[in-house]
Amino acid sequence: MSGPGLYAAVAVRSFRRYSTYRAATLAGAFTNSVFGVILAYTFIALWSERPDLGGYDVTTAVTFVWIGQALLTPVAIFASGAEADLVERVRTGDVAIDLYRPTDLQLWWLAADLGRAAFQLLARGLPPTLIGLLIFDLRFPSNPVTWLVFLLSVVLAVTVSFSIRYLLALSGFWLLDVRGAQTLTIVLSTFFSGLFLPLVIFPGWLKDVAFALPWASLLQLPADVLLEERTGWSVVQALAFQAAWATALLLLGRLVLRVATRRVVVQGG
Amino acid sequence: MSLIEVDRVSRTFVVRRKTSTLRRARQVVRAVDDLSFTVTAGEMVGYIGPNGAGKSTTIKMLTGILVPSSGRLRVAGLDPSAARVELARRIGVVFGQRTTLWWDLPLRDSFALLRRIYRVPLTRFRQNLDTFVELLDLGDLLHRPVRQLSLGQRMRGDIAAALLHDPDILYLDEPTIGLDVVSKSALRGFLREVNAERNVTVLLTTHDLVDIEQLCRRVMVIDHGHLVYDGELAGLHAFGNARRTLVVDLSDPAPPVDVRGATVTRVDGPRQWLEFPAQASAAPIVAAVAAGYDVADLSIQEPAIEDVIRQLYLDRR
Ligand SMILES: Nc1ncnc2c1ncn2[C@@H]1O[C@H](COP(=O)(O)OP(=O)(O)OP(=O)(O)O)[C@@H](O)[C@H]1O
Ligand SMILES: [Mg+2]
């Protein structure tokens, strides 16, 4: 297996590549801002009806909205991260080329996805946040340690998200068209990440289920870290929860690849 | 020493076909069927066969990305699918219809990334790159993103890419597909050099028999997953139903000549064309014609290799 230098190079290349899609980045950041404004006003209305809903005050709720808009693309809640290329390569059979190289397919695409996420955290995360700060009263922590832990939690969030999207891409070895599976993944991750409604306001058992599913790692947990809704031991628990899902899903991905190359085949001559 | 050993290898695919809206028929395709051959280090072997014969399937198994359904495979002493990563360092692969390069990167950066992938020492990498840039005339292309390269230019890049890590074995699956005559001949020259100077063992599939004629002493013909011929290219003439032609110029126009073992296929004034099996000796036929007719001139046409192969493919339908 090739060393860590290779995967760092893959991440850097991916970062650079995404940075060339200027128009798409600009349009995306604009859309995030518009969505943020709409959602923020909705939340303000909701929380003025029911103050302290889910244990958030209105400022926390509105800040949650903007964290969601900032993380939406880096964490690829709507999919379409680096795995999109892998989906295409499985469909066309070009994945054969990735497979006969002395590299690890999963690490390769994880590195590419982390490079993408790093770029999008800057380019798709910061602009909406600034817009949000201009229009609304937001609350961000002053403790630099909180920010560091938040960053770590975001890296884990991207990893969990990637590990699900990697499985999605591998499903292309069996399915002729992964779009159905992709739609399902997007619906699940939108709902269970807390993007539209924070998981803390889910009712009873649904809340427990949502907090046990991997998608909680994508937004709810990093947001709670940044909002300082979780402190001390509870932060460690959140990170451990993310790391556990990341590990489990990545291992599952390795298993599935092994089965895929054994049972199924690369398309085309 | 055998570098590649294929011992009674088969590979089947299960295809599901829709026969009606609800029913699906399961059909088993034997892409490679009880295939055996060996390749010795330093050889340059042509691997040909009609569309769907099983050539690409064989190559995929030899790279380790496809597992045989049965049989035993060894490449450089390794079981390809079990030791895929280890084997990868020792083989180079070019699939004519795909590229190993990155569309968005300049050629130079693709090479640099491959250097990391294969962990090629920097000095060796530079030496190889210099050699390939010169032999494949890549100098002006190095700074260009791959998506801007023409097919022939990209193919040159791909061949260089497959050799940067000094593989012992090079698999080429239709490397000349879509190339013009000049590019093809340049590529052939390069492959001959790589085989001779660097002692790279080459397994080459192609539908262009000129590739085989110019590069390979040994040719293997596969059809419906079976090996139907393995031997010298020249020997193919004698194989199967290939036919040779005796062209006879009589002193005067005459009705078709009648000799045993040959049939007249064409008459044009005093000239007649007689066909006979390629493996039969021409001597008795020539003697019979000379004895019974007034002959002004004689010549024998060997079948074109293309015709031999076409006949071979047709016979096996
Ligand atoms: N993934 C697959 N699923 C089902 N059948 C397959 C698959 N790949 C190949 N086959 C079948 O196996 C047989 C051999 O295919 P292969 O690609 O090896 O042929 P080939 O000799 O390379 O042909 P060509 O000259 O057209 O490239 C064909 O009948 C093909 O339809
Ligand atoms: Mg083929």
Side-chain angles (χ1 to χ4, degrees):
Chain A
M1 209 75 15
S2 301
L6 169 68
Y7 299 103
V10 169
V12 169
R13 162 180 171 258
S14 180
F15 183 103
R16 285 215 197 103
R17 203 180 114 200
Y18 277 87
S19 72
T20 59
Y21 307 146
R22 298 227 174 86
T25 304
L26 210 64
F30 178 73
T31 313
N32 288 144
S33 306
V34 174
F35 262 118
V37 171
I38 295 170
L39 215 52
Y41 279 121
T42 314
F43 277 29
I44 289 171
L46 192 58
W47 259 267
S48 66
E49 279 300 304
R50 311 257 318 260
D52 205 35
L53 180 62
Y56 284 4
D57 64 16
V58 67
T59 311
T60 307
V62 172
T63 309
F64 184 93
V65 166
W66 290 99
I67 297 173
Q69 291 307 309
L71 290 189
L72 165 57
T73 315
V75 173
I77 291 174
F78 294 162
S80 301
E83 92 289 350
D85 290 336
L86 179 58
V87 165
E88 190 57 17
R89 291 178 77 77
V90 171
R91 194 182 66 75
T92 59
D94 281 350
V95 69
I97 288 173
D98 306 332
L99 288 175
Y100 71 62
R101 287 190 183 127
T103 51
D104 187 283
L105 191 76
Q106 192 183 48
L107 273 180
W108 178 284
W109 291 99
L110 174 60
D113 202 51
L114 286 170
R116 170 202 63 80
F119 172 74
Q120 291 187 331
L121 192 59
L122 297 173
R124 294 287 297 272
L126 289 183
T129 309
L130 291 177
I131 303 281
L133 275 171
L134 279 179
I135 306 180
F136 299 93
D137 177 25
L138 305 183
R139 185 191 304 130
F140 286 113
S142 51
N143 186 349
V145 176
T146 305
W147 282 97
L148 278 179
V149 177
F150 168 69
L151 267 187
L152 178 60
S153 179
V154 169
V155 171
L156 288 169
V158 175
T159 310
V160 171
S161 161
F162 167 79
S163 62
I164 297 171
R165 288 174 285 124
Y166 181 74
L167 285 167
L168 174 73
L170 294 189
S171 74
F173 279 108
W174 288 271
L175 305 174
L176 282 182
D177 190 344
V178 302
R179 271 176 296 185
Q182 181 170 43
T183 307
L184 184 67
T185 317
I186 293 173
V187 168
L188 286 172
S189 68
T190 305
F191 189 68
F192 287 112
S193 66
L195 182 64
F196 281 141
L197 285 176
L199 303 187
V200 288
I201 70 169
F202 279 25
W205 63 272
L206 189 60
K207 179 173 163 183
D208 296 338
V209 170
F211 267 101
L213 292 173
W215 294 285
S217 312
L218 270 50
L219 172 58
Q220 185 67 52
L221 296 186
D224 277 348
V225 168
L226 193 63
L227 293 167
E228 296 185 318
E229 288 290 313
R230 282 168 176 271
T231 45
W233 185 238
S234 169
V235 170
V236 178
Q237 274 178 331
L239 295 178
F241 178 85
Q242 290 182 300
W245 268 117
T247 311
L249 291 168
L250 286 175
L251 285 176
L252 183 61
R254 303 186 80 81
L255 197 72
V256 171
L257 179 68
R258 193 170 303 168
V259 177
T261 46
R262 201 146 265 285
R263 281 213 29 226
V264 203
V265 249
V266 172
Q267 307 295 325
Chain B
M1 190 202 78
S2 295
L3 203 54
I4 301 175
E5 288 174 53
V6 177
D7 187 16
R8 310 208 57 180
V9 165
S10 299
R11 170 72 209 205
T12 52
F13 293 113
V14 177
V15 253
R16 290 191 173 77
R17 250 196 342 210
K18 258 194 175 159
T19 48
S20 70
T21 20
L22 289 177
R23 281 171 183 282
R24 281 177 160 209
R26 236 177 80 108
Q27 195 191 349
V28 176
V29 179
R30 302 190 77 82
V32 167
D33 195 1
D34 203 17
L35 183 72
S36 299
F37 64 83
T38 59
V39 175
T40 308
E43 272 193 289
M44 176 116 108
V45 182
Y47 192 39
I48 60 175
N51 290 128
K55 303 179 296 293
S56 297
T57 304
T58 310
I59 295 207
K60 282 178 192 164
M61 288 192 287
L62 290 174
T63 59
I65 60 175
L66 194 61
V67 186
S69 307
S70 65
R72 185 174 173 277
L73 271 183
R74 285 291 176 275
V75 177
L78 301 168
D79 175 359
S81 56
R84 183 172 62 76
V85 172
E86 196 186 340
L87 182 66
R89 297 185 188 285
R90 308 202 40 192
I91 60 175
V93 189
V94 177
F95 285 120
Q97 280 119 304
R98 311 186 188 283
T99 182
T100 188
L101 307 165
W102 288 270
W103 290 105
D104 57 309
L105 293 185
L107 198 50
R108 181 193 300 282
D109 293 6
S110 272
F111 289 157
L113 198 49
L114 285 165
R115 180 180 90 76
R116 278 184 187 277
I117 290 178
Y118 288 97
R119 293 205 201 144
V120 185
L122 198 55
T123 47
R124 184 62 192 160
F125 173 75
R126 292 217 175 103
Q127 274 172 9
N128 281 344
L129 193 58
D130 287 348
T131 312
F132 300 150
V133 164
E134 194 196 315
L135 291 174
L136 289 167
D137 197 17
L138 294 173
D140 295 335
L141 307 179
L142 282 176
H143 64 278
R144 306 236 315 250
V146 172
R147 71 184 127 79
Q148 291 177 8
L149 300 183
S150 77
L151 179 64
Q153 292 168 336
R154 196 216 83 202
M155 188 65 74
R156 269 141 65 197
D158 257 306
I159 302 254
L163 290 165
L164 280 173
H165 58 289
D166 290 310
D168 301 325
I169 305 171
L170 182 61
Y171 301 124
L172 301 162
D173 195 354
E174 303 190 34
T176 54
I177 191 166
L179 300 194
D180 68 26
V181 186
V182 179
S183 308
K184 276 185 184 178
S185 98
L187 193 60
R188 288 179 197 130
F190 176 74
L191 291 177
R192 210 176 292 125
E193 172 131 353
V194 162
N195 176 243
E197 303 293 319
R198 298 176 163 246
N199 202 33
V200 176
T201 306
V202 181
L203 185 65
L204 166 85
T205 87
T206 180
H207 289 292
D208 183 346
L209 294 168
V210 183
D211 290 343
I212 305 285
E213 281 180 313
Q214 300 200 347
L215 292 174
C216 309
R217 190 177 296 155
R218 175 177 167 203
V219 58
M220 299 192 294
V221 184
I222 184 177
D223 190 21
H224 290 104
H226 298 287
L227 201 59
V228 295
Y229 180 82
D230 181 357
E232 301 241 328
L233 182 64
L236 255 184
H237 291 273
F239 185 79
N241 285 330
R243 301 180 79 75
R244 289 194 281 174
T245 310
L246 177 67
V247 185
V248 183
D249 285 326
L250 302 172
S251 39
D252 294 301
V257 303
D258 180 23
V259 295
R260 275 189 55 177
T263 45
V264 175
T265 56
R266 203 177 143 201
V267 179
D268 184 7
R271 175 170 290 191
Q272 300 198 4
W273 284 260
L274 284 75
E275 263 191 21
F276 59 99
Q279 66 265 53
S281 164
I285 295 164
V286 172
V289 173
Y293 300 86
D294 194 4
V295 176
D297 197 9
L298 277 173
S299 67
I300 292 176
Q301 288 174 355
E302 292 296 332
I305 186 77
E306 309 240 354
D307 297 330
V308 175
I309 303 279
R310 188 177 311 125
Q311 196 59 45
L312 197 63
Y313 292 176
L314 283 175
D315 289 347
R316 302 194 54 85
R317 275 268 148 84

